[in-house]
Amino acid sequence: MKKIVDKIRWYSCNAGLNMGVVLLFALSACAQGKPTQLADKYPLIPTPQELTYGKKEVTFSGLRLVNNDFKTAELAPEKVLRTEGLWTDKKGLEVEILQNSNLTNQEAYTLKIDKKITITAPTEKGAYYGLQSLAQVIREKGRSWSLPQLDIKDWPAFKIRGFMHDTGRNYQSVAQLKEQIDVLAKYKYNIFHWHLTDDPGWRLESKLYPELKADSSFSRHVGKYYTQEDFKEILAYSKERQITVIPEFDIPGHTRAFRKAFGIKTMKEERVLPILIDLFDELMSLADAEEMPYIHIGTDEVRNEPEYVEDEMILTLMNHIKGKGRELIVWKEGIEIEGDSTSINQLWAQHEVRKGHRFIDSRANYINHLDPFAGMARLFFQQPCRQPAGDSLALGGILCAWPDNNVANERDILKQNPIYPSIVFYSDAIWKGREKNYLEYWAKLPPKGSEELKRFMDFEQKVLVHRDHFFKDKEFPYVAQTEALWKIIGPFDHKGDFTASFPVEKELQSSYTVDGTTYKWDDTPVGATIHLKHYFGFPAITEAKSGTYYAHTKIYSSEAREQTFWIGFYGWSRSGGRRGGPAPSQGQWHFTEPKIWVNNEEVAPPVWQQPELAVATDEIPFIDEDYFYREPAKVKLKKGWNTVLLKIPHGGRSWKWMYTFIPVSLDGNNVREVQDLKYDPSF
C-alpha cells in the first residue's frame, strides 16, 4: 500500500536571494487504504513543508518524557500538551526532545512518531512547534490515546506570522486575549500585535501620566484599561507560547483620547513630544529589547487638522526609540519621513512596498471586512508579501481585527467577526507559503472541477476536523461550502427600480431576451457566499455597477422538514458605521429589495431589532445584522428536490453585491454541516 506524501520542497534562486516553492502532490493509488484514513483523521494545520504518513496508528496509555535537551530553557512539554492524564512517570510511549543545530532555520523542527516520539530542533522555538504539531494529532480513545505514524520536516516560510487586535476602540479582557493567544500558539503564529490606543481610549496605564486613565479621557468603554501588571502578564503568557508582543501607540492620528486627557488642542503643541517620549520610555521599561524587540508608532490616517505635525517631530521620536535598541514599525499608508531609512513598514489596504524598507504584509486581510465564507477563500489563496517565502525585506504578514464600531459585549468581537476561522485559514499561507498569488480567487472560490478548487476542498476538510476537535463551544462560523453549486444569470437592467421583475421569476429557462439583450446562465459559482461584484474591486463575476441577478439551485431532502439556513444579502463590515446602509426596514432583507423563494414560496426576512439605522451609527452596536450572529432562517423543505431562487438587485448607495445561502445545524456556538442535503443547480 502506497504512502501518502504531502511534500513541499524549497529551492534557492540566485544564490538564495529569493526562495521559490515547488508543490508536489503525491496522491495514493489506493483511496480506500489506511494512509488516506490517517491523513483524514489526523490533519495538520498549517501543512508541514514535508509530511509522510505511515501505515498504522499508535495506541498508548500515556506519554513519558525520557529526554529534553531544552530543559534549561524551561520548555515544558506538560504545559504545551495539557490534556489531563496524558503524561505519566510509569511505562508509556517515550518522548525525546533533542537539540539539532544542523537545521538552519531557527524555527525548524522534525517530528517522528513510531515506536517512540522524537522531536528535534535547533532552538526552543522549533521544539515548541514540534510539540504543537504533536498536540494536533493526539486523539483520546476511552482510557487511552492514539497517534498516527508520521514523519515531519518542517520550517516556516516567513519570519513574522502575526495577529493584531484593536483594543483601543473596544477593550477586551485579559482572559479573552489569552484565549486567542492560545489559538495563535496552536497554529504556529509568533506575533501578537497589540493596538493599545485609539480615539476612544488610551488603554495602557501610565504611572507618569495618570490623566490618561481618567474617565473623562474615554469616549467608549469608560475606565477600561490594562494595568502595567496586566501588560506584563500578557507578555509573559505570550513568551511562554513563543509569541512576541508588538505594542502599538498610534500617533499622531487616532489620538483624541490622548488630547482629551491633557487638554491638547493640536499635536503640534511643544509639550506633546516630551510627553510622548516619556510614554514610549515607560512602555519600553516594561520589557527589555530581547523580550519586546518591536515598537509600533502607527502614523496612519492623519486626516484631521488637530493631528497634523511636522516631520521633524516624528523623526525625533523614531530616532529616540531606535536609540533604545528597538526595531521601529509604522503603517503604510502613513507618514513617510524623508530621513527615515530603517523603519519596518506594515502595509494595509493596497499600499505598495516602500523601496529599501523591510515590510510586514497586512493588505486585504482585515477580518472586520471578511465574510466567514468568501473571506476564507481570500486568506487561503492570497500570497503573503506577494512572493513564495520571506527574505531580508519581506518579513511576513499580520492578520488584523479592527472592530471599529462600538461593541456591546466583548464576546461579540468573536461572534461578529470570523476571527478563529481566519486564524486557521491564514496560518497555512503564512507558515507554508504559496507558490503564487491567486488574485482571481480573493473574492470567489475557483470554478467546479478545477485543481484549485480541489486544493481548497482538501484544506476545508482539514479545517472541519480542527473545528470539531479544538473549537468546541467557541465562535467558529464556518461549515463546508464547496458542495454548494449555483447557476446565476444577469445583470438585468432594473433602471433604478429594485422591485423590477424579470421573466426568471415566472419560469426557469436556459436563456432570456429582455430589451434586445440575451441572458444565459453561468453555472461556475461555488460556495455559501457569492460576491457578484466585490466592494474592494477584487475580481468577481461582474463589473456592472447596478442591475438584478438571479441565483438558482436545487436541494434534495430525504424527508419533509423545517430546516435552518444562514441567509443574507449584505455582509456588514464591522467598521465605518453601517457602510452601505441604511439598515433595512421591517419586511426587507436589504433596502435593495432582494427576495428568496423555495418551492415558489417566499422566505420572509428577519424581524429586525434595529431597522432603518443610518450609516453614521458607529456607537450603536451590531445585534442581528449579519446571518452568522442572528437566529437562522427556518425554511420548509419537502421530501425530494426543492427549488431555490434568489433575486439580488444592486445599485444606489449599496456597497456590496452578494448573497449567502447555506443550511446549518446549530448547538449553542457550535455550527455544523447538514450532512444529508445535496445541491444540484441543473434545471
Side-chain angles (χ1 to χ4, degrees), residues 157 186 203 208 220 222 279 380 443 529 591 603:
K186 181 179 290 292
R203 301 288 178 191
L208 295 175
R220 187 189 291 172
V222 174
L279 288 170
F380 182 79
T529 294
F591 74 79
V603 179

Side-chain angles (χ1 to χ4, degrees), residues 257-464:
F258 174 86
R259 286 179 276 123
K260 284 171 66 177
F262 296 104
I264 290 169
K265 293 183 178 180
T266 170
M267 295 296 284
K268 287 183 177 179
E269 290 184 21
E270 288 186 7
R271 58 182 173 143
V272 168
L273 181 57
I275 293 174
L276 288 177
I277 288 175
D278 284 346
L279 288 170
F280 278 103
D281 281 347
E282 188 177 22
L283 171 65
M284 290 184 284
S285 74
L286 301 179
D288 61 28
E290 182 178 355
E291 183 176 2
M292 195 168 70
Y294 303 101
I295 300 293
H296 203 309
I297 67 168
T299 79
D300 62 308
E301 296 185 319
V302 180
R303 297 172 181 171
N304 303 302
E305 191 170 347
E307 301 166 343
Y308 297 160
V309 298
E310 301 296 333
D311 286 0
E312 186 61 31
M313 172 192 163
I314 301 298
L315 184 59
T316 299
L317 187 59
M318 285 179 162
N319 289 336
H320 179 81
I321 292 170
K322 288 186 286 188
K324 299 285 185 176
R326 314 293 171 129
E327 293 274 19
L328 187 109
I329 306 176
V330 295
W331 289 104
K332 186 176 182 299
E333 174 259 356
I335 298 174
E336 292 190 22
I337 307 297
E338 188 175 342
D340 164 37
S341 60
T342 61
S343 67
I344 298 169
N345 290 182
Q346 187 170 353
L347 312 178
W348 63 283
Q350 298 185 55
H351 299 292
E352 292 300 321
V353 175
R354 188 178 176 192
K355 187 176 180 180
H357 282 253
R358 291 167 295 166
F359 67 95
I360 298 166
D361 195 357
S362 293
R363 292 171 291 184
N365 63 4
Y366 282 11
I367 299 174
N368 46 288
H369 286 307
L370 294 184
D371 171 85
F373 292 110
M376 299 311 105
R378 187 192 313 175
L379 295 177
F380 182 79
F381 287 108
Q382 178 188 153
Q383 186 186 50
C385 297
R386 311 300 176 261
Q387 60 188 60
D391 57 28
S392 61
L393 295 180
L395 302 183
I398 294 178
L399 189 66
C400 299
W402 299 97
D404 296 355
N405 295 345
N406 195 7
V407 173
N409 182 288
E410 70 170 0
R411 206 75 201 176
D412 287 345
I413 295 171
L414 299 173
K415 290 179 181 177
Q416 297 173 0
N417 298 275
I419 284 173
Y420 287 146
S422 297
I423 289 172
V424 174
F425 272 91
Y426 188 63
S427 73
D428 202 63
I430 197 63
W431 175 276
K432 189 178 72 170
R434 289 291 183 262
E435 79 279 13
K436 64 175 289 189
N437 185 45
Y438 287 94
L439 179 61
E440 63 269 38
Y441 303 135
W442 280 23
K444 61 181 179 181
L445 285 173
K448 56 190 176 188
S450 65
E451 179 60 31
E452 289 79 12
L453 182 62
K454 183 185 182 304
R455 286 173 54 196
F456 185 87
M457 292 173 71
D458 290 344
F459 189 76
E460 179 181 73
Q461 289 304 309
K462 294 168 66 173
V463 170
L464 300 182

Side-chain angles (χ1 to χ4, degrees), residues 530-671:
I530 304 297
H531 280 293
L532 299 166
K533 183 181 177 65
H534 195 268
Y535 47 98
F536 286 145
F538 305 142
I541 291 170
T542 184
E543 291 298 319
K545 294 182 179 180
S546 65
T548 296
Y549 264 95
Y550 291 88
H552 162 77
T553 195
K554 299 196 308 295
I555 294 180
Y556 183 84
S557 176
S558 60
E559 60 182 2
R561 68 219 254 185
E562 188 175 65
Q563 177 62 52
T564 50
F565 279 79
W566 275 347
I567 302 174
F569 291 94
Y570 194 85
W572 296 90
S573 295
R574 282 69 62 186
S575 62
R578 281 164 174 78
R579 199 181 312 189
S585 302
Q586 298 294 6
Q588 294 179 317
W589 285 99
H590 188 245
F591 74 79
T592 52
E593 301 289 354
K595 304 284 185 185
I596 179 170
W597 299 271
V598 176
N599 299 325
N600 297 315
E601 293 290 329
E602 186 172 348
V603 179
V607 177
W608 303 108
Q609 297 186 52
Q610 301 184 130
E612 301 179 4
L613 285 178
V615 174
T617 48
D618 304 56
E619 297 307 313
I620 301 176
F622 286 101
I623 297 177
D624 62 353
E625 284 82 346
D626 276 299
Y627 64 86
F628 56 97
Y629 52 86
R630 64 171 175 255
E631 285 295 316
K634 295 179 179 179
V635 177
K636 290 182 179 179
L637 298 179
K638 65 182 182 181
K639 182 178 180 179
W641 287 105
N642 297 264
T643 301
V644 179
L645 183 67
L646 293 85
K647 177 183 182 180
I648 316 105
H650 181 72
R653 294 165 293 178
S654 190
W655 190 38
K656 298 183 179 181
W657 199 354
M658 61 190 293
Y659 69 88
T660 299
F661 184 83
I662 194 79
V664 293
S665 174
L666 294 179
D667 177 15
N669 282 332
N670 300 307
V671 57

